Amino acid sequence: MGKKLADLEYTNRLYKKAPFLYAQVKPTPLKEPKLLHLNTDLFERMELDPSLKDAPSFLRFLNGDLDFEGLFFGASFYSGHQFGHYVPRLGDGRAITLAEVKNHLGEHFELQLKGSGLTPFSRMGDGKAVVRSSIREYLASAHLKALGIPSTEALAVITGADDVYREEIEKSAIVLRVAESFLRFGHFQYYAHTNQKEELKELVEFAISHYFREYHDHPNRYVLFYQEVIKRTAKLFANWQAVGFCHGVLNTDNMSLLGLTLDYGPYGFIDHFDQDHVCNHSDHEGRYSLGNQPGIGMWNLERLGEALADFINEEDRKRTLETYPPLFLYEYRRVLLEKCGLYKMHLDDEDLLRGMLNMLVTSKIDYTQFFRALSRYEKGSLVLNGFDNPELKEWLARYEQRLVIEEEDESSRHEKMLGRNPKFILRNYIAQMAIEDASMMPLVFQVLTNPFAEWEDFHEWSKPAPVKYKNLSVSCSS
């Protein structure tokens, strides 16, 4: 039997230790709230009572319309570099933290309403979210987790009767998103730049003792803490690159301390491989293009290092930061090789991968479909099902020679690769279908959270956008 809402232990370790991090604020509930979708897997991991799914109190909870003992509502302070320019005061402009829930395994789930109204940090905004952006975040967070990429999650998405003004009038929505922690690089930047030394020290010590426990009592814990953040960030960005995911707005306030994919705005998955691909039509300079993402990761880590200057001297920060490029390249190479069914290291691997990416650029082959087809490649054929061009055949001849080194039977290789290369990715048009027709949400969610399955009835969703959806664009309001 799961727990009722009132039975949950609404602890919040961060609030108890660092109340200065939050401004207390009450949510603005939506009018006529209606549940669009519930993430039942996350619901069960949080150990909630199954009867809650249909309970009016649960919908009120998702709407920020109920109080329980120990529950608090708070928006946090942070700053950050937005498109390279430092903005001294940002904060949760449309997100309100409820509390933290702990299950019997000791896992902590921080709960946060996104789109629940004005906060002290809303600036010129209204603090609300629309169905379009909320469904995109809800689907993407579950999809990336299913792909094996660290991400925040979302328990549910609801809609309301309120009108919200963006490029046009849209319907309101709230996402209840969940993570072990929503701490960002920008939290540390805020207290460093405002010279709040005691608060910054408390925040750093809290982060180490709760999320990087293995270093808590180490005499060199600050450097080790920074190193671990660098390592997690390098792995995250390598996995994004390997699957063809563009975040869209990699400002330092959108960078998770725990190496999670955070703040889904104008994200996008590539169709064909293009280093210059920009998924955010507001990014006119291409700062956050696919090819720029890895370097931006390092740039943002350098800004975090500067915020930690009172704890780590410049020489140690520089030396630690310089581990990022080899960490990123190692992980990126490893993941790409696994996508190719290659597990043994070889001197020519880098050249083989470079040749593959160059071939994908010039041939305009769909990136995801290429790897899925490669997962069924028959040795000796020099043919990839669905694709046929001279550049591909030339690369497949090199790939053939490399497969000999693996000494693995064909069926075993196929099985491993099919479990590594998704058939489905969250292409923009698939999200758009769910946005336009909420009745499709259960099917879309099911396919995207099982992206390696065949789903023959939905085979068309594995293809690039049909003509109807070819010119979809996303911006920061997405």
Side-chain angles (χ1 to χ4, degrees):
M1 193 71 172
K3 300 174 183 176
K4 303 286 188 182
L5 290 175
D7 296 331
L8 291 169
E9 295 179 19
Y10 289 113
T11 60
N12 188 287
R13 298 169 296 171
L14 183 53
Y15 178 70
K16 289 179 178 178
K17 182 68 177 177
F20 55 80
L21 194 67
Y22 296 93
Q24 295 287 273
V25 59
K26 285 285 187 180
T28 304
L30 303 182
K31 300 173 184 175
E32 302 174 29
K34 182 176 73 172
L35 180 67
L36 284 178
H37 200 266
L38 174 70
N39 185 337
T40 54
D41 174 70
L42 181 56
F43 185 94
E44 290 168 4
R45 280 187 281 131
M46 289 174 61
E47 299 175 354
L48 297 176
D49 189 323
S51 67
L52 281 174
K53 293 177 185 177
D54 301 313
S57 62
F58 185 55
L59 184 58
R60 290 182 64 197
F61 180 76
L62 297 173
N63 199 22
D65 196 21
L66 271 185
D67 283 329
F68 296 105
E69 185 178 352
L71 189 66
F72 79 100
F73 299 101
S76 67
F77 296 78
Y78 52 82
S79 60
H81 283 81
Q82 298 197 318
F83 288 88
H85 303 286
Y86 183 69
V87 181
R89 187 178 168 91
L90 294 168
D92 291 325
R94 55 176 176 166
I96 298 176
T97 297
L98 301 182
E100 215 173 29
V101 171
K102 182 180 176 182
N103 67 13
H104 82 282
L105 297 174
E107 296 174 309
H108 288 261
F109 304 87
E110 187 174 325
L111 311 182
Q112 193 176 81
L113 298 174
K114 184 174 180 180
S116 51
L118 288 170
T119 78
F121 313 108
S122 297
R123 294 181 289 171
M124 301 298 290
D126 56 17
K128 297 181 179 180
V130 297
V131 169
R132 170 174 49 103
S133 62
S134 302
I135 285 179
R136 282 175 55 81
E137 173 155 359
Y138 180 78
L139 292 175
S141 58
H143 181 52
L144 259 71
K145 184 174 178 62
L147 292 172
I149 299 175
S151 175
T152 59
E153 298 184 76
L155 178 63
V157 57
I158 66 172
T159 185
D162 314 65
D163 287 337
V164 180
Y165 296 84
R166 294 296 182 261
E167 285 88 349
E168 57 186 15
I169 298 176
E170 301 184 54
K171 288 302 176 187
S172 57
I174 291 176
V175 173
L176 178 58
R177 57 182 187 175
V178 180
E180 183 183 1
S181 173
F182 286 98
L183 276 177
R184 308 152 181 265
F185 289 12
H187 283 115
F188 298 84
Q189 288 185 285
Y190 176 78
Y191 291 101
H193 282 267
T194 53
N195 203 33
Q196 298 184 60
K197 293 182 181 295
E198 287 302 315
E199 288 82 356
L200 179 60
K201 183 174 177 59
E202 284 190 48
L203 187 59
V204 171
E205 295 291 357
F206 172 87
I208 295 174
S209 62
H210 288 81
Y211 308 121
F212 304 87
R213 300 179 189 87
E214 61 271 35
Y215 307 130
H216 179 56
D217 296 320
H218 198 285
N220 203 27
R221 64 185 180 279
Y222 301 124
V223 171
L224 292 171
F225 158 61
Y226 187 38
Q227 176 69 81
E228 183 64 23
V229 177
I230 289 170
K231 179 181 176 181
R232 294 188 189 193
T233 304
K235 291 185 70 173
L236 176 67
F237 278 57
N239 278 274
W240 284 353
Q241 297 300 111
V243 79
F245 174 79
C246 293
H247 183 281
V249 191
L250 284 171
N251 298 327
T252 56
D253 56 293
N254 292 337
M255 294 287 294
S256 161
L257 190 73
L258 304 190
L260 307 174
T261 309
L262 174 68
D263 278 3
Y264 291 90
Y267 66 82
F269 287 84
I270 57 173
D271 288 332
H272 65 271
F273 187 74
D274 177 8
Q275 295 278 28
D276 296 325
H277 176 74
V278 178
C279 63
N280 177 3
H281 79 66
S282 306
D283 184 6
H284 305 297
E285 303 300 321
R287 176 180 175 84
Y288 299 133
S289 67
L290 176 69
N292 283 347
Q293 280 189 159
I296 290 295
M298 184 168 178
W299 193 90
N300 289 343
L301 284 163
E302 187 173 10
R303 305 289 78 76
L304 175 63
E306 291 168 355
L308 299 174
D310 284 350
F311 309 91
I312 310 171
N313 65 51
E314 185 176 1
E315 183 180 345
D316 285 342
R317 294 201 312 273
K318 182 179 179 181
R319 187 188 72 251
T320 308
L321 182 63
E322 286 172 352
T323 65
Y324 174 86
L327 284 168
F328 168 82
L329 289 172
Y330 173 83
E331 184 68 11
Y332 184 44
R333 185 186 300 116
R334 183 189 69 79
V335 176
L336 282 183
L337 287 171
E338 286 188 7
K339 287 173 72 67
C340 293
L342 306 175
Y343 291 87
K344 294 183 178 180
M345 303 297 289
H346 190 268
L347 288 173
D348 295 332
D349 282 346
E350 191 165 341
D351 191 49
L352 179 74
L353 294 177
R354 187 181 300 111
M356 177 188 72
L357 296 177
N358 289 337
M359 178 272 295
L360 289 173
V361 168
T362 56
S363 66
K364 305 294 184 185
I365 292 174
D366 183 83
Y367 186 79
T368 302
Q369 288 188 319
F370 165 76
F371 282 108
R372 189 69 176 183
L374 191 67
S375 301
R376 292 192 172 93
Y377 177 71
E378 301 288 343
K379 284 192 284 190
S381 66
L382 294 184
V383 173
L384 207 56
N385 185 35
F387 305 105
D388 183 23
N389 65 63
E391 297 157 314
L392 175 58
K393 284 189 175 180
E394 182 181 336
W395 183 80
L396 286 173
R398 297 175 61 191
Y399 180 61
E400 282 268 355
Q401 296 172 3
R402 178 61 180 80
L403 284 176
V404 174
I405 300 171
E406 290 297 308
E407 299 177 344
E408 184 172 31
D409 67 87
E410 197 104 291
S411 61
S412 176
R413 174 170 58 84
H414 288 172
E415 183 180 358
K416 285 182 180 179
M417 291 178 69
L418 288 169
R420 196 71 179 86
N421 294 310
K423 179 176 180 178
F424 300 93
I425 53 167
L426 181 48
R427 301 177 193 265
N428 280 331
Y429 79 90
I430 296 176
Q432 188 63 29
M433 289 191 303
I435 291 165
E436 293 175 358
D437 182 1
S439 69
M440 293 188 66
M441 278 287 285
L443 284 176
V444 170
F445 188 84
Q446 188 176 20
V447 170
L448 292 174
T449 52
N450 296 276
F452 302 98
E454 283 301 321
W455 298 109
E456 292 294 351
D457 291 345
F458 305 101
H459 179 71
E460 290 300 309
W461 294 0
S462 69
K463 298 179 181 179
V467 174
K468 176 184 177 182
Y469 292 108
K470 275 291 183 187
N471 297 315
L472 280 177
S473 63
V474 287
S475 67
C476 288
S477 70
S478 301

